[in-house]
Amino acid sequence: MSVNSQHACNLALFGALGDLSRRKLLKALYFLDDAGLIHDDTRIIGIARQEMDDAGFIDVAKENLERFIKAKELKKNVLERFLKRLSYVTIDMTEISGYEKLAEKLKGDDKPMIAYMATPPSVFGDICSNLDKVGLNKSPNRVVLEKPLGKDLASSQEINDVVAAHFGEEQTYRIDHYLGKETVQNLIALRFANNLFGSQWNQNHIDHVQITVAEEVGVEGRWSYYDKSGQMRDMVQNHLLQLLCLLAMDPPFDLSADAIRDEKLKVLRALKPITTETINTHAVRGQYVAGNHQGKPVPGYLEEDGANLESHTETFVAIKAEISNWRWAGVPFYLRTGKRLPSKVSEIIVQFKQQPHYIFAPDQRNLAANKLVLRLQPDEGISLQIATKDQGLDKGMRLRSGPLDINFSEAFKQDRTPDAYERLLLEVMMGNQSLFVRRDEVEYAWRWVDQIIDAWDQSNEPPKKYQAGSWGPVSSIALISRDGRSWNEDS
Ligand code: NDP
């Protein structure tokens, strides 16, 4: 029996013709079907404005599956089975009439309906209130909300209020797709299943933590969309803070959704505010200027199509975050994320302290500190740098630092690591909220981020410039080097 054999549902995919659905969601659902993780009775209902019948939507889905899945992974029998699950309802999300058609279609069907909103947040309210009007908001029905959940605390509260007027918190699944990544979930296993790490996970043994999420791309033709958010709202408020929470939280009393989310919330509440007094020592915002990407010249942020030359929007952020509790007193968490950086990499470095008593060659002292590297991309995996004796009669007691390495795709003999959306869709279907963000988490994260953005606005200083293809402004190096540390150079 598969893990999901008891969880039949009707998945109503709002925005089924949009980019996210075409590129990611349909593909993720196909792979879940291939893995035998979708109940036989589960049906997927595509919903969008465009007039289309079931056959038309099935054609769109097939075309996109063939486009986004490698030919060797697309199995004829699975594809046939998958396409049979699909149907389509035309709905203008702002008008009630379409929802009546949906309710009629689902009449007498007692499977839970999952409303996945792959739409702009501006229509979340209409979708929820119209589902309520036709009686499709009752538990065990659920709603899934895509990011962005607002652009600050006030707008996120507005979205959450409008959803909460129609669906309970226990029916609401807020996506942060980083939480669906294997390595991120492995953080929980690594920390809480291994005494080796569990017992060392505090200020007595850890020197500092680094979280880097680097993108090679620029704004990719979406200047005006990106300019309204910037890297702080787009990446730090959600993905980087969620990673920080999982790294820093205390052990939850069990693996239930609220036990984990309670612990994450405590971390967010303990984040030391970064204010106008500390903004210059604790945060750097940058904006790329023209440079090179893979040997080719690329324009600066203010030279991209549609750019407004006055824009102060940051394309790079570096932060020294501090957590006010016993576990992390004196242990900085350095966060760094940006566009047009030299490589696409997401990784976490946990730098352990050196042994208190050192007996090897003085020039090798730096090798005697363990470093745990969690790679989210590329090549999801975990590696632990340990010091060993170098081999060879001539080496004496010289040390050598090398990795104990687990590459997930090699270690688990998988052809591919499942995409985060596969895990998240599976969890929604099973009604498990652990990998979804609770309302109070979103709001505490905004409180902390808003304060930093306000401090930048008040300073009125423009973002620091950095060349496209570099690792960000010089001041981001100063941010960490002032503390006698440096960014991980193996990225
Ligand atoms: P798109 O603009 O490509 O798709 C949005 C979909 O919503 C379209 O099908 C659109 O229909 C539909 N829609 C919008 N307004 C209405 C309406 N009034 N009535 C009916 N349908 C409507 O956006 P994306 O797919 O890129 O993104 C969807 C959501 O997911 C956004 O919140 C985005 O921030 C988030 N997201 C997207 C990611 C991605 O990789 N694309 C990654 C992470 C999050 P129509 O085609 O008719 O306009």
Side-chain angles (χ1 to χ4, degrees), residues 121-222:
S122 53
V123 290
F124 288 177
D126 286 314
I127 299 176
C128 292
S129 79
N130 285 321
L131 287 173
D132 186 347
K133 282 184 194 142
V134 299
L136 287 177
N137 64 326
K138 310 279 179 300
S139 186
N141 289 359
R142 292 155 219 168
V143 275
V144 183
L145 314 183
E146 262 297 340
K147 76 164 208 181
L149 284 173
K151 59 178 180 49
D152 53 19
L153 176 61
S155 53
S156 107
Q157 282 172 329
E158 227 171 84
I159 296 174
N160 283 323
D161 284 345
V162 91
V163 174
H166 309 286
F167 288 87
E169 182 63 31
E170 73 295 346
Q171 294 173 276
T172 306
Y173 291 67
R174 294 178 193 81
I175 295 256
D176 185 320
H177 73 269
Y178 268 53
L179 296 182
K181 289 178 182 282
E182 280 289 309
T183 316
V184 175
Q185 290 162 59
N186 239 315
L187 248 178
I188 294 180
L190 198 75
R191 288 193 52 197
F192 304 125
N194 296 287
N195 192 28
L196 179 67
F197 294 117
S199 59
Q200 310 292 301
W201 212 261
N202 58 49
Q203 32 87 16
N204 287 326
H205 304 284
I206 292 180
D207 178 74
H208 75 278
V209 176
Q210 295 183 20
I211 305 176
T212 295
V213 177
E215 301 172 84
E216 277 179 278
V217 293
V219 288
E220 298 200 292
R222 302 169 80 217

Side-chain angles (χ1 to χ4, degrees), residues 14 52 54 66 88 121 189 192 214 277 292 331 335 432 437 458:
F14 288 83
M52 193 180 275
D54 293 347
E66 284 169 350
Y88 183 82
F192 304 125
E277 281 80 49
N292 281 291
V331 182
L335 316 180
N432 180 4
V437 188
Q458 284 181 42

Side-chain angles (χ1 to χ4, degrees), residues 14-25 47-50 91-95 99 116-124 126-127 145-148 175 177 222 225 239 421:
F14 288 83
L17 301 177
D19 177 68
L20 182 68
S21 301
R22 286 174 190 258
R23 227 164 24 90
K24 296 259 180 187
L25 302 179
I47 296 171
R49 269 187 286 219
Q50 202 173 313
I91 299 185
D92 180 331
M93 292 170 203
T94 58
E95 288 175 16
Y99 296 84
Y116 194 118
M117 301 197 227
T119 64
S122 53
V123 290
F124 288 177
D126 286 314
I127 299 176
L145 314 183
E146 262 297 340
K147 76 164 208 181
I175 295 256
H177 73 269
R222 302 169 80 217
Y225 171 82
H239 308 320
Y421 276 105

Side-chain angles (χ1 to χ4, degrees), residues 30 151 244 272-273 325-326 405 458:
Y30 165 87
K151 59 178 180 49
L244 179 143
K272 225 182 246 181
N325 62 21
W326 176 88
D405 209 341
Q458 284 181 42

Side-chain angles (χ1 to χ4, degrees), residues 213-277:
V213 177
E215 301 172 84
E216 277 179 278
V217 293
V219 288
E220 298 200 292
R222 302 169 80 217
W223 195 93
S224 11
Y225 171 82
Y226 180 81
D227 197 63
K228 289 190 200 88
S229 51
Q231 206 68 3
M232 189 73 170
R233 295 183 170 99
D234 203 36
M235 300 298 290
V236 178
Q237 187 274 342
N238 38 57
H239 308 320
L240 276 86
L241 283 185
Q242 282 295 321
L243 296 179
L244 179 143
C245 285
L246 289 172
L247 280 159
M249 71 183 187
D250 279 352
F253 72 87
D254 64 14
L255 283 177
S256 62
D258 276 334
I260 294 176
R261 299 188 302 177
D262 285 346
E263 295 306 333
K264 286 199 290 169
L265 185 69
K266 283 191 211 157
V267 175
L268 290 167
R269 296 183 65 176
L271 276 175
K272 225 182 246 181
I274 296 178
T275 60
T276 45
E277 281 80 49

